[in-house]
Amino acid sequence: MNKLCAAASLLALLALAGPVAWAAPATEAQWIAAATQAVAYGRAQGMPIELEIAAGNGLPGHTPVGLASENGRCTLIVSASNNPTADKLSAMIAPDLLDTFLAGAAMHEVGHCHRRLNGFPHNEKLLPVVAWIGPVRDWFARRVRTEEAYADMTAVAWIARYHPERYTALLNEMLRVRTRFREPRHDTVALLERAIAEGPQDANENLFAQVDERLNRYR
């Protein structure tokens, strides 16, 4: 299985994070509950998506929730146990928002799954033989940014639909994470700022149509 989790995930940006302690980190059970909720949503939309629980590798930079895809199916992989990145991230989030934030992070991956199931490329490796070519490198960076924007806006639409009363607080947490670990190919800060300014918009249960509409407006 092609496990392209780290580069695509919102959480992978935390590899170089310094210690930030707001509260005790989330338990593995909390991460699993969040992913289970996201997988249930994906299945309700007819998406062939499964949940897998794995151990972390004990090293920073290993995403606690990521996506693998193969043969027209997706697998949401939770690897929060023995994972310093999982602890580091969850300790940053306000405790009263944590469970919903984790579910939003899992919905980010469901957004990636939707794109992959609809034919969008997801090979995130730029071959060294062409990496030195400026236009190719820029095109690749734009493509990765588009995927991250789509995934982030999926989480935003889900929050707006199911947690409108916490919309601003949760998006500010997303924005804080993205700003602290800003990296050009994963930079969705401007989109999150616009989404916060616009307020929650009801997706009428079709989150992906709203994501498409929002990204088309923002282009």
Side-chain angles (χ1 to χ4, degrees), residues 13-219:
L13 302 179
L14 299 168
L16 301 178
V20 178
W22 275 34
T27 64
E28 182 187 32
Q30 285 177 286
W31 286 99
I32 293 172
T36 299
Q37 185 177 353
V39 166
Y41 178 85
R43 287 176 175 171
Q45 309 309 307
M47 299 168 67
I49 184 170
E50 302 172 352
L51 177 64
E52 178 181 322
I53 312 302
N57 62 7
L59 300 173
H62 186 77
T63 184
V65 56
L67 191 74
S69 56
E70 186 177 51
N71 298 327
R73 302 189 65 83
C74 296
T75 302
L76 195 63
I77 303 170
V78 175
S79 50
S81 67
N82 190 32
N83 189 338
T85 300
D87 294 343
K88 195 173 296 181
L89 169 67
S90 56
M92 289 179 61
I93 306 305
D96 62 320
L97 299 174
L98 180 57
D99 287 335
T100 311
F101 180 91
L102 297 182
M107 281 300 301
H108 170 106
E109 301 300 334
V110 173
H112 281 308
C113 176
H114 179 78
R115 290 277 287 184
R116 296 179 186 186
L117 292 175
N118 283 276
F120 290 89
H122 58 271
N123 180 5
E124 298 184 23
K125 294 181 180 179
L126 185 60
L127 297 177
V129 69
V130 295
W132 63 273
I133 304 174
V136 173
R137 188 171 60 247
D138 293 343
W139 167 85
F140 179 76
R142 286 194 302 272
R143 186 179 66 72
V144 175
R145 269 198 309 274
T146 298
E147 297 305 308
E148 290 305 297
Y150 193 94
D152 268 10
M153 292 302 105
T154 299
V156 167
W158 177 81
I159 292 167
R161 177 72 176 121
Y162 296 103
H163 301 279
E165 74 288 351
R166 293 184 160 193
Y167 179 86
T168 300
L170 286 162
L171 263 63
N172 275 315
E173 294 286 68
M174 292 175 65
L175 179 61
R176 187 163 61 87
V177 170
R178 284 293 194 190
T179 301
R180 181 175 175 84
F181 307 105
R182 205 162 185 172
E183 187 272 329
R185 289 190 306 173
H186 296 76
D187 188 353
T188 61
V189 166
L191 293 176
L192 290 171
E193 289 175 340
R194 292 189 65 170
I196 291 170
E198 291 177 353
Q201 299 178 8
D202 193 334
N204 295 320
E205 299 187 13
N206 190 342
L207 303 189
F208 305 116
Q210 180 165 332
V211 172
D212 288 333
E213 189 275 334
R214 186 188 292 270
L215 291 182
N216 286 335
R217 279 194 292 115
Y218 286 178
R219 284 197 177 98

